[in-house]
Amino acid sequence: MTKKPKRRKIIAIIVASCIILLAAGMGYYFYQDKQKTTKQDYYMLDTDLVDEQTAIEKQLKADSEDATLEKPYVKLNPYGTSPLTALLLFNTAEKMKITIEVEGENADTTIESEVNSEYTTEHEVAVLGLYADKTNTVKITAVTQDGKKRKKLSRFKQTNYHLKCQQLMLKQVTLKKWNKLVIS
């Protein structure tokens, strides 16, 4: 009589061990499969977006070819994603460091920033903190390696801000491939 219960225990242990090993193997298999998908998705880029940005950069470079500190090329919302920004592009004969000041409504809201830490002749100046439907004043200070300063004042206005924001929202929704769009 003691042999039958002992035999059943051994069979139960063997069956339970097989089930545990099978479950562990399946878990490992699905885990590895998921890891491969994650790595693959990581390297998949939206090439249309990259191509669009490359085309915009080429166009900006071509449009600003003759721009100087005295007459910089100004592109509001250059990439179509941030309506209250601008990009100033220009070249200088001497290597210079650039500092900009975006005039705010008061001293606390005025933004001042150093554009690049190195002296260069080709300048791409990102202008942040513009006001909608208002003439914005941007002061550009260029300093040569021997300390000489040149200043330039630029004024421009960002108009149709709310329309551009709605267009931006629509573009983002299209990029994310959402099925429904609600603009309130």
Side-chain angles (χ1 to χ4, degrees):
M1 285 223 179
T2 58
K3 285 192 174 191
K4 269 190 175 181
K6 196 174 191 181
R7 191 179 214 179
R8 283 185 185 166
K9 281 185 181 179
I10 292 174
I11 291 174
I13 290 173
I14 291 173
V15 168
S17 298
C18 287
I19 291 172
I20 291 171
L21 286 174
L22 181 64
M26 288 178 61
Y28 181 75
Y29 172 78
F30 287 116
Y31 171 78
Q32 288 299 324
D33 190 44
K34 186 175 181 181
Q35 292 296 74
K36 288 178 186 173
T37 303
T38 304
K39 283 184 180 179
Q40 181 182 5
D41 290 345
Y42 176 75
Y43 292 107
M44 294 177 72
L45 295 173
D46 184 353
T47 57
D48 291 339
L49 190 58
V50 173
D51 292 344
E52 180 182 348
Q53 185 170 353
T54 302
I56 290 170
E57 288 172 356
K58 283 181 183 177
Q59 187 63 48
L60 288 169
K61 190 147 183 97
D63 291 346
S64 66
E65 197 171 291
D66 298 326
T68 63
L69 176 62
E70 291 73 29
K71 190 172 174 139
Y73 176 74
V74 178
K75 179 67 175 175
L76 295 169
N77 190 14
Y79 297 100
T81 57
S82 187
L84 295 178
T85 64
L87 187 62
L88 303 178
L89 300 159
F90 58 91
N91 297 314
T92 54
E94 292 181 72
K95 289 185 175 185
M96 298 181 155
K97 279 188 184 180
I98 305 297
T99 303
I100 64 164
E101 181 180 303
V102 180
E103 193 175 280
E105 292 179 345
N106 56 48
D108 293 333
T109 58
T110 296
I111 300 170
E112 188 174 330
S113 63
E114 187 175 338
V115 176
N116 48 3
S117 59
E118 296 181 17
Y119 292 94
T120 183
T121 58
E122 293 181 4
H123 307 279
E124 292 184 13
V125 181
V127 180
L128 309 174
L130 300 177
Y131 289 92
D133 301 319
K134 177 186 172 194
T135 300
N136 292 274
T137 302
V138 178
K139 297 174 187 174
I140 305 168
T141 304
V143 180
T144 62
Q145 289 176 318
D146 57 359
K148 293 179 186 173
K149 287 187 180 182
R150 290 173 48 198
K151 294 188 178 193
K152 167 69 177 149
L153 193 66
S154 289
R155 289 189 171 96
F156 42 88
K157 186 174 185 176
Q158 176 59 290
T159 57
N160 299 324
Y161 170 71
H162 297 292
L163 175 62
K164 290 179 182 185
C165 283
Q166 286 182 345
Q167 290 171 342
L168 175 60
M169 286 172 48
L170 181 60
K171 185 175 184 178
Q172 288 174 339
V173 168
T174 304
L175 287 175
K176 291 182 180 180
K177 298 178 183 169
W178 287 356
N179 292 330
K180 296 181 181 178
L181 170 64
V182 178
I183 299 179
S184 52

